[in-house]
Amino acid sequence: MQEKDKNKLEEKFKPILENSSHVSWKPRTMLYPLPAVMISCGENEDDYNIITVSWVGTICSNPPMCYISIRPERHSYEIIKRTKEFVINLSNEDLAEATDWCGVKSGKDFNKFKEMKLTHQKGKMVDAPIIMESPLCIECKVKEIISLGSHDMFIAEVVNIQANAQYIDKESGIFDFQKANLITNSHGRYYKLGEEIGKFGWSLKKK
Amino acid sequence: MQEKDKNKLEEKFKPILENSSHVSWKPRTMLYPLPAVMISCGENEDDYNIITVSWVGTICSNPPMCYISIRPERHSYEIIKRTKEFVINLSNEDLAEATDWCGVKSGKDFNKFKEMKLTHQKGKMVDAPIIMESPLCIECKVKEIISLGSHDMFIAEVVNIQANAQYIDKESGIFDFQKANLITNSHGRYYKLGEEIGKFGWSLKKK
């Protein structure tokens, strides 16, 4: 990076450093913002369920692998442990209310698809259902379950993606993440994405 | 949920369903938006390094545990494998440029702290440095490394949090995530957080 750009960074960071000190806190979960998703599971209509999880992520690019972490007392836990399958359904503005509701209520008490007026369709590579209203559904097969404490981590391979055609750019064939209006979960609050700051590699292109 | 609220959901979802169909794609990494973070590592100034990773998340609440996944060819991989420590530094608008740059460049070629004019300080519970300009730093100790393919997953326990005092509300003592201006990474683009849609449990409070 050029000296003048470095000097600009130094100037920017100076007041940040001067006005701040760090305070140590006991360990807690503070990593945000996170993807807002609904996990669908079950092998037939009778036991289809939806659980909203915060602990979800990608763990490998090739093969594509994801994880979710769930408390053993949750209704979906036994279903996913038995069927070894789940679907990660990305959430957007239209689905925000359902995403919240499915995180608060239990599948022991409600048929969440019916309550939230969501539509299920059997996955292509898994028996677990996708949520048709979701812009993008990630079908996963569980490879390993690791007990960590309050949560068990389900390590899974992505076996298929179902993308809603209305968000696929007709010319490029690329999924338009911006058009999909994905939302994010930051410490229990749901947000729309705001202004774009830059695209991967933009820091190199600055003059 | 009340019938009239369910009917509202049904009306909302009707056009979404009618105008859409899902297209199957081969497995790929499509889970977004993700936290924008810089990982700092190393046990002394000579080998301090920063790596920007996309594959990062919380995997357990109690004990608090996180993971990062890194390609073995990355410069930080050997450092973290050897020292069994790293720090997750949350990124915000001020740090966006450095976050991008640290994801593109290698610690083999640059001293990233110096290049980005960032300030290191030894962690409280780890020798790895925190990035002083970050609003919140999560000190982690590696418990297990799992080889998955292109990436190895470093499973770690959170051993300390360092929160920048300027974002801690003086009355409540709570870390103000909104004030910290965290940013998110959605498929290679950095975004500010936008409008708040609701807070955990808001779907129950609606009339």
Side-chain angles (χ1 to χ4, degrees), chain B residues 33-190:
Chain B
L34 298 172
V37 303
M38 288 185 277
I39 306 299
S40 46
C41 60
E43 53 192 339
N44 56 57
E45 262 197 71
D46 293 340
D47 71 348
Y48 281 171
N49 193 33
I50 302 171
I51 175 174
T52 299
V53 301
S54 293
W55 309 155
V56 58
T58 297
I59 54 176
C60 188
S61 299
N62 186 18
M65 295 181 77
C66 289
Y67 83 97
I68 54 173
S69 287
I70 310 183
R71 293 179 186 269
E73 56 268 34
R74 295 296 297 261
H75 183 61
S76 294
Y77 177 90
E78 287 299 337
I79 299 173
I80 297 173
K81 196 170 179 178
R82 185 183 77 242
T83 60
K84 296 258 169 45
E85 294 179 351
F86 60 86
V87 178
I88 303 171
N89 305 274
L90 303 191
S91 185
N92 63 7
E93 290 174 35
D94 288 325
L95 292 169
E97 191 178 349
T99 306
D100 183 57
W101 196 88
C102 289
V104 180
K105 295 293 185 181
S106 172
K108 286 169 194 153
D109 307 319
F110 293 98
N111 178 321
K112 293 186 182 177
F113 275 99
K114 279 192 185 157
E115 285 292 314
M116 289 294 107
K117 299 288 182 184
L118 294 170
T119 314
H120 49 73
Q121 182 179 282
K122 201 181 269 291
K124 192 190 164 200
M125 300 293 284
V126 296
D127 286 331
I130 67 164
I131 299 174
M132 290 291 283
E133 288 78 2
S134 165
L136 194 122
C137 313
I138 303 168
E139 299 180 15
C140 296
K141 283 201 179 180
V142 176
K143 292 287 167 189
E144 204 183 332
I145 304 171
I146 304 180
S147 293
L148 297 170
S150 61
H151 289 67
D152 279 10
M153 177 170 51
F154 292 77
I155 290 182
E157 205 167 314
V158 177
V159 291
N160 189 50
I161 302 282
Q162 294 214 35
N164 191 317
Q166 72 182 110
Y167 304 117
I168 300 172
D169 186 87
K170 278 176 191 134
E171 286 191 16
S172 65
I174 291 171
F175 185 81
D176 188 337
F177 278 89
Q178 281 141 306
K179 207 174 158 194
N181 275 326
L182 300 184
I183 57 173
T184 180
N185 154 17
S186 190
H187 204 238
R189 288 170 193 265
Y190 294 100

Side-chain angles (χ1 to χ4, degrees), chain A residues 6 21-23 25 55 58-59 61-62 67 69 100 132 134 150 161 163 165 188 190 192 194-195 197-198 200-201 203, chain B residues 21-23 25 55 58-59 61-62 67 69 100 115 132 134 150 161 163 165 188 190 192 194-195 197-198 200-201 203:
Chain A
K6 286 194 214 175
S21 62
H22 279 67
V23 176
W25 276 345
W55 309 154
T58 296
I59 53 177
S61 299
N62 187 17
Y67 84 97
S69 288
D100 183 56
M132 290 291 284
S134 165
S150 60
I161 300 282
Y190 294 100
K192 301 181 185 182
E195 192 189 324
I197 300 171
F200 182 75
S203 61
Chain B
S21 62
H22 279 68
V23 177
W25 276 345
W55 309 155
T58 297
I59 54 176
S61 299
N62 186 18
Y67 83 97
S69 287
D100 183 57
E115 285 292 314
M132 290 291 283
S134 165
S150 61
I161 302 282
Y190 294 100
K192 300 180 187 183
E195 193 189 320
I197 300 171
F200 183 73
S203 62

Side-chain angles (χ1 to χ4, degrees), chain A:
Chain A
M1 188 167 269
Q2 291 185 4
E3 280 310 313
K4 74 171 177 12
D5 290 327
K6 286 194 214 175
N7 293 341
K8 272 187 201 162
L9 283 174
E10 197 163 23
E11 275 168 42
K12 187 200 274 185
F13 293 148
K14 208 174 161 188
I16 298 175
L17 268 185
E18 281 172 355
N19 293 318
S20 76
S21 62
H22 279 67
V23 176
S24 273
W25 276 345
K26 268 188 279 188
R28 59 193 77 178
T29 56
M30 298 289 275
L31 175 59
Y32 296 97
L34 297 171
V37 304
M38 286 185 277
I39 306 300
S40 45
C41 59
E43 52 192 339
N44 55 58
E45 263 197 70
D46 293 340
D47 70 348
Y48 281 172
N49 193 31
I50 302 171
I51 175 174
T52 299
V53 300
S54 293
W55 309 154
V56 58
T58 296
I59 53 177
C60 188
S61 299
N62 187 17
M65 295 181 77
C66 289
Y67 84 97
I68 53 173
S69 288
I70 309 183
R71 291 180 187 269
E73 55 268 34
R74 294 297 296 262
H75 184 62
S76 292
Y77 177 89
E78 287 298 336
I79 300 173
I80 297 172
K81 195 169 182 180
R82 185 183 77 242
T83 61
K84 296 259 169 47
E85 292 178 354
F86 60 87
V87 177
I88 303 170
N89 304 273
L90 303 191
S91 186
N92 62 10
E93 290 173 35
D94 288 325
L95 293 168
E97 192 179 348
T99 306
D100 183 56
W101 196 89
C102 289
V104 180
K105 295 294 184 179
S106 171
K108 286 169 195 153
D109 308 318
F110 294 98
N111 179 321
K112 293 187 182 176
F113 275 99
K114 279 191 185 156
E115 284 292 315
M116 288 295 106
K117 299 289 182 183
L118 294 170
T119 314
H120 49 72
Q121 181 179 284
K122 202 180 267 291
K124 193 189 165 201
M125 300 294 282
V126 295
D127 286 331
I130 67 164
I131 299 174
M132 290 291 284
E133 288 79 2
S134 165
L136 193 122
C137 314
I138 303 169
E139 299 181 15
C140 297
K141 283 201 179 181
V142 176
K143 292 288 168 193
E144 205 181 331
I145 304 171
I146 304 180
S147 292
L148 297 171
S150 60
H151 289 67
D152 279 11
M153 178 169 50
F154 291 79
I155 290 184
E157 205 167 313
V158 176
V159 292
N160 190 51
I161 300 282
Q162 293 215 36
N164 192 318
Q166 71 183 109
Y167 303 117
I168 300 172
D169 186 88
K170 276 176 191 134
E171 287 190 16
S172 65
I174 291 171
F175 184 82
D176 188 337
F177 278 89
Q178 280 141 307
K179 207 174 157 194
N181 275 325
L182 299 184
I183 57 173
T184 180
N185 156 16
S186 189
H187 205 241
R189 288 168 193 266
Y190 294 100
Y191 294 91
K192 301 181 185 182
L193 298 199
E195 192 189 324
E196 182 180 330
I197 300 171
K199 200 176 164 179
F200 182 75
W202 66 278
S203 61
L204 301 182
K205 284 165 197 154
K206 285 185 74 180
K207 277 177 195 164

